[in-house]
Amino acid sequence: MRGLDAAGRLGIALVVAAVAAVAGWTLFVELPTSGAELVGVLLVLAAAVGALRVGGAIGRSVFPTYNAAEVAVEGPITRDAGGGGPLPSPGSPGADDVVDLIETADDDDDAEALVLKLNTPGGAVVPSDDIRLAAKAFDGPTVAYATDVCASGGYWIASGCDELWAREGSVVGSIGVRGSRVTAAELLEKAGLEYEQLAAGEYKEAGVPFSELEEDEREYLQGIIDDYYDQFVETVAEGRDTDAESLRETEAKVFLGETAAEMGLVDHIGTREDVEARLEELLETEAELEELEPSAGVTERLRGGAERVAYAFGAGIAARFTDPGGEFRFRF
């Protein structure tokens, strides 16, 4: 089937190019009676090249090059590209980009199925949910495939897919929520500085890094984390058709793929080839995957190379800090 489609696309492209070449020769070479023949030949060649591209596009529309779209979710999940933080990881598309790619695949009649390749430790709450909702809304079979890590927000995303596959050595789980902040109160005191900010509302300043948490503030913030956790468990239980209590019993631990499968956290263990074989069962035809990526110009690509060098040098240090504002952060 793959060979026939390729031959069909090539045939259409060649036919369109041949028709354009004949038309160009007639218009630019045969009809002129002056010394414009040389220019005519050049125009014929240009017309043939342009027509070949048009023919290729027509051929791809008649004989699609793929029937399943693949979208990767890699690195920490944030709203914007790069993973956020003071030193964002290069090359990681943000949640909005991932959602756009999924919606593009959903609008493409050729993309009959969606594969989400997951390699993420989790991240921000709402961006993770945006990706889950986009996957859930896809009109067709959706398969999540965990490579190295599918934890926390990554598992939240997977719950929006029909199936979750993992490798035996994949790290899966971490069904929990955490909140964090940097406390700099003692540092300010040693430096002889005093933090003062005017605010309205009793808990407006709860979680700022320049003062110690009062017990009622701690309870308030813990309540938000508990609410997020309940939402996490209930959403995953509904999406994966499992018992919420069994998810709570995992105690936010991570498990290797094989153990996760035995616990029902993963549907199947297998390689990428096994995932493609499963797609062929779902589509009842040979699977042709096309990986979709956010568009990037030359400038962005060159900048990405420099960012990778800087990231490799400083990521280990920067990973220990929160955002520059130091605000209390909720993350899967």
Side-chain angles (χ1 to χ4, degrees), residues 28-324:
F28 302 131
V29 177
E30 290 294 333
L31 294 181
T33 57
S34 64
E37 282 81 0
L38 180 59
V39 177
V41 171
L42 296 177
L43 291 174
V44 168
L45 292 176
V49 171
L52 186 60
R53 294 179 178 177
V54 173
I58 296 174
R60 287 190 294 272
S61 65
V62 177
F63 298 98
T65 57
Y66 68 99
N67 55 10
E70 180 178 16
V71 176
V73 181
E74 298 178 313
I77 302 167
T78 61
R79 175 66 60 197
D80 301 318
L87 190 59
S89 58
S92 302
D96 289 342
D97 289 332
V98 173
V99 169
D100 287 343
L101 292 176
I102 294 174
E103 292 178 346
T104 296
D106 198 19
D107 293 336
D108 188 349
D109 293 336
D110 295 334
E112 301 175 19
L114 173 68
V115 174
L116 274 187
K117 183 172 66 174
L118 300 173
N119 184 15
T120 172
V125 177
V126 177
S128 298
D129 193 48
D130 287 345
I131 299 175
R132 179 190 69 87
L133 291 173
K136 183 178 180 180
F138 182 85
D139 185 16
T142 54
V143 178
Y145 174 49
T147 56
D148 300 337
V149 180
C150 177
S152 205
Y155 195 80
W156 172 280
I157 292 171
S159 70
C161 297
D162 298 329
E163 298 180 6
L164 173 57
W165 287 66
R167 301 291 296 273
E168 291 183 356
S170 300
V171 176
V172 180
S174 188
I175 303 173
V177 182
R178 63 184 174 89
S180 62
R181 74 171 192 141
V182 171
T183 302
E186 292 185 7
L187 179 63
L188 288 179
E189 184 177 350
K190 290 180 179 179
L193 300 175
E194 182 177 348
Y195 170 77
E196 183 177 359
Q197 180 168 314
L198 303 179
E202 183 177 356
Y203 292 98
K204 181 63 178 177
E205 288 281 87
V208 296
F210 305 118
S211 61
E212 297 292 340
L213 277 178
E214 300 291 340
E215 187 58 34
D216 61 327
E217 292 178 328
R218 190 180 304 276
E219 292 178 0
Y220 159 66
L221 294 173
Q222 183 62 52
I224 296 177
I225 293 175
D226 292 341
D227 289 343
Y228 270 135
Y229 179 61
D230 290 340
Q231 181 184 357
F232 193 170
V233 170
E234 292 168 6
T235 299
V236 171
E238 179 182 356
R240 292 198 45 77
D241 193 22
T242 189
D243 179 55
E245 189 58 34
S246 65
L247 296 176
R248 294 181 185 276
E249 290 175 357
T250 65
E251 299 179 323
K253 295 177 181 178
V254 295
F255 307 91
L256 294 183
E258 190 169 3
T259 302
E262 294 172 356
M263 298 173 62
L265 297 177
V266 170
D267 297 306
H268 305 284
I269 297 295
T271 63
R272 179 183 174 85
E273 288 72 21
D274 295 324
V275 173
E276 292 186 12
R278 175 56 177 160
L279 282 176
E280 292 178 355
E281 293 179 3
L282 296 172
L283 298 176
E284 298 182 346
T285 186
E286 189 169 5
E288 296 276 1
L289 269 72
E290 176 80 7
E291 184 172 358
L292 305 184
E293 298 178 343
S295 58
V298 176
T299 302
E300 286 79 3
R301 294 179 184 275
L302 292 175
R303 184 178 62 191
E307 286 178 348
R308 285 180 174 84
V309 176
Y311 180 76
F313 180 76
I317 299 175
R320 304 308 303 168
F321 294 89
T322 58
D323 60 302

